Amino acid sequence: MALSKKRIVVKVGTSTLTNENGDINIREMDLLCRALSGMENLGYDLILVSSGAIAVGANKMRLAQKPKELRMKQAAASVGQLELMHLYDKLFGEYNRMVGQILLSNEDVQIPERRENLTNTLEALLENHIIPIVNENDSISHTEIESDQKLFSDNDKLSAIVAVFANASKLVILSDIEGFYDSNPHENPGAKLISRVEEIDDNLMRNAGGSGSNRGTGGMITKLEAAKLATSHGIDVLIVNGQKPELLYDIADKKVVGTLFVGKN
């Protein structure tokens, strides 16, 4: 099936949605919802893959730190997902946009019948101009948190999988830095931004570091893995600064922003 040129999957991570104290960053969420609403108004189909449930839940439960025990992680995810969707519904509503929640587990993607149902649900939401908000079903499925059998690894990988089965033309990963650099910009002030990548090879993978934030689970390596999966299906992948969601308009206008990983035809 051909890729939909006006369908974009946007992934936002915990480090963008929360501040250093673990509180929800309302300003950043509002900017994101406004930009996505504006893009939808321009005729784009938007799918949002959102992290943050465990971090937000842990903060609301007044836990001293992010939980390590599985049952506490699942409890935090249950509380946090409710809080996230409440805010998304409220903020998107300010821009006259409706949202729908989709929580995924391995089986939803791996079992053909459930995968077909998932695809049909996504299409129905998009046809009715409703923005799907996708997350892993952390409160139920332990495999999505810490099992060796987990499919998604984290929401970077999940966003690539969603982009593939939704036939999106672009995957935009919002990061805590401007894009992909030739070395870690947090450690090397002279690191240079790479604006375009044609091939994700072993050398590029070695340049990727670990987790970029203690509030999230992913780092640049998971973003490269997601980009490798999506580009192999012809999908362009962009890593851009999550604090500047208005860059989505520049992406639509084909301007050079962040790092573009070119989809393979």
Side-chain angles (χ1 to χ4, degrees):
M1 185 179 294
L3 300 181
S4 175
K5 292 184 178 180
K6 301 205 77 173
R7 182 167 297 180
I8 300 174
V9 174
V10 177
K11 185 266 177 179
V12 61
T14 302
S15 61
T16 299
L17 295 175
T18 62
N19 58 31
E20 291 294 337
N21 296 324
D23 294 322
I24 294 177
N25 192 327
I26 298 294
R27 178 179 180 275
E28 294 299 333
M29 282 193 72
D30 182 52
L31 289 173
L32 174 64
C33 294
R34 182 168 63 184
L36 291 174
S37 298
M39 289 289 290
E40 213 262 352
N41 219 21
L42 292 174
Y44 286 87
D45 290 339
L46 276 303
I47 300 172
L48 177 62
V49 176
S50 176
S51 300
I54 294 177
V56 169
N59 180 261
K60 188 166 186 179
M61 293 165 68
R62 295 183 172 84
L63 301 180
Q65 60 184 6
K66 188 175 178 180
K68 294 182 174 60
E69 190 181 1
L70 174 61
R71 68 189 187 94
M72 290 301 293
K73 287 181 180 180
Q74 292 181 316
S78 178
V79 172
Q81 188 64 27
L82 183 67
E83 183 77 358
L84 275 177
M85 287 306 300
H86 169 71
L87 283 169
Y88 276 131
D89 185 51
K90 181 176 180 62
L91 292 171
F92 274 112
E94 292 294 319
Y95 302 105
N96 198 30
R97 286 291 172 268
M98 291 178 63
V99 296
Q101 175 179 252
I102 296 180
L103 296 176
L104 296 181
S105 64
N106 286 8
E107 292 81 6
D108 296 318
V109 174
Q110 292 178 324
I111 299 174
E113 183 178 358
R114 292 175 68 164
R115 183 185 176 104
E116 181 180 359
N117 289 338
L118 170 61
T119 301
N120 290 339
T121 299
L122 273 174
E123 292 295 335
L125 289 170
L126 294 171
E127 286 172 13
N128 286 278
H129 305 288
I130 299 169
I131 298 174
I133 300 178
V134 183
N135 198 356
E136 301 173 38
N137 195 5
D138 288 337
S139 64
I140 301 297
S141 177
H142 79 281
T143 59
E144 302 315 317
I145 296 180
E146 56 185 25
S147 169
D148 290 336
Q149 303 301 316
K150 61 187 177 183
L151 173 65
F152 303 141
S153 299
D154 70 1
N155 277 355
D156 291 326
K157 182 71 173 293
L158 172 60
S159 67
I161 292 172
V162 170
V164 170
F165 69 66
N167 294 310
S169 61
K170 288 182 176 59
L171 166 61
V172 180
I173 299 177
L174 302 179
S175 180
D176 56 358
I177 55 177
E178 298 291 336
F180 184 75
Y181 288 78
D182 60 359
S183 61
N184 190 336
H186 295 307
E187 299 174 357
N188 178 17
K192 295 181 180 179
L193 179 69
I194 301 173
S195 61
R196 184 182 178 94
V197 175
E198 298 283 349
E199 184 75 26
I200 303 173
D201 56 20
D202 292 340
N203 184 53
L204 206 70
M205 297 294 285
R206 282 193 293 270
N207 280 343
S211 178
S213 166
N214 61 10
R215 304 192 303 280
T217 58
M220 193 54 68
I221 186 67
T222 62
K223 292 171 176 55
L224 287 188
E225 290 170 347
K228 193 168 187 176
L229 172 61
T231 55
S232 70
H233 288 81
I235 301 167
D236 287 339
V237 178
L238 295 106
I239 298 177
V240 301
N241 190 333
Q243 294 183 336
K244 303 175 183 177
E246 66 276 7
L247 290 175
L248 286 168
Y249 298 118
D250 291 337
I251 292 171
D253 292 336
K254 296 181 170 53
K255 294 181 181 178
V256 178
V257 294
T259 300
L260 167 65
F261 297 85
V262 180
K264 300 176 182 177
N265 295 323

